[in-house]
Amino acid sequence: AEITRRRWLLIDADAVRPAGISATDEEHDAALQRSQAVAAWLRLHGWPDPIQADSGNGSHLLYRVDLPADDGGLCHRVLKALAAQFNDAAVTIDPSVANASRICKLYGSVSRKGDSVLGRPHRLARILHAPDPIAVVSRELLEAVVATIPTPRKTEAPAGGNGTLSR
C-alpha cells in the first residue's frame, strides 16, 4: 500500500541449479552472458542501455520506468515475454520480481546462498555498468515486448467431425 510508483524494471537472470546453494563459475557466467543477450535484443528494439549488475549468483538488468505501482500487470507480462524467449535448461528469467514491493540485492553486499564451498563460492553483488544518463523506458516499448509473447494456436475439429476421437 505504501508503494505508489514503479521506478525500476528488474530483469533477474539466474542459473538453473539446486535451491539454496551458490552458482558455480560456469553457471554464474552463463547468467551474465544471458543478460547480455537480453540487453542486446532489447537495444535492437529501441530500449536504452540498462544498469547491468552481478547479483552474486546471476545477473540483473535494471531499466528505469515511470509507472503506477498497479501497472495492470505490464511489468509481469514483460518478464514473461522475455522468459518465453530467453529461458532454457541453463538460465531462466524470473518473472516473480515484477512485484512492485520487491526488494533486490544490495550491490556491494555478499550473496550468501548456503555454505561457501569449493566450486560454489559466495560472491560480491556489484554494479558492472551504469549508463549516464539513465533513460526511461516508455510504456510503448514495454508493450511492444509483451506483443512478442507467442499466442497459443487453437486447434479446430476436422470438417464434418464433432471434435471427439472414436475407436
Side-chain angles (χ1 to χ4, degrees):
E2 290 81 19
I3 308 297
T4 60
R5 302 287 300 166
R6 288 179 183 267
R7 299 292 185 204
W8 297 100
L9 170 65
L10 169 65
I11 300 171
D12 181 18
D14 287 316
V16 175
R17 64 185 190 283
I21 61 171
S22 294
T24 65
D25 288 343
E26 294 79 19
E27 292 165 342
H28 182 240
D29 289 344
L32 291 168
Q33 290 172 16
R34 185 63 46 85
S35 279
Q36 292 296 318
V38 171
W41 185 83
L42 290 170
R43 197 173 302 111
L44 285 173
H45 290 85
W47 285 47
D49 287 334
I51 293 174
Q52 299 171 7
D54 178 339
S55 68
N57 284 303
S59 181
H60 291 167
L61 299 173
L62 292 124
Y63 286 94
R64 183 77 168 83
V65 296
D66 186 17
L67 299 168
D70 182 1
D71 67 353
L74 178 59
C75 288
H76 189 253
R77 290 191 308 275
V78 167
L79 295 175
K80 285 185 72 153
L82 293 172
Q85 178 150 344
F86 289 97
N87 282 7
D88 63 18
V91 178
T92 60
I93 305 298
D94 183 359
S96 74
V97 299
N99 178 337
S101 64
R102 179 81 175 219
I103 60 172
C104 82
K105 191 77 60 179
L106 176 62
Y107 304 114
S109 65
V110 175
S111 180
R112 299 180 187 274
K113 290 228 174 162
D115 293 328
S116 185
V117 296
L118 185 63
R120 293 189 178 276
H122 292 160
R123 294 181 191 83
L124 186 68
R126 59 197 174 101
I127 293 176
L128 301 173
H129 173 73
D132 185 24
I134 297 173
V136 176
V137 178
S138 70
R139 179 177 282 275
E140 292 76 23
L141 289 173
L142 294 164
E143 289 171 351
V145 168
V146 171
T148 67
I149 296 174
T151 55
R153 290 184 178 176
K154 290 186 177 182
T155 56
E156 296 181 20
N162 62 6
T164 61
L165 296 175
S166 60
R167 291 185 174 204

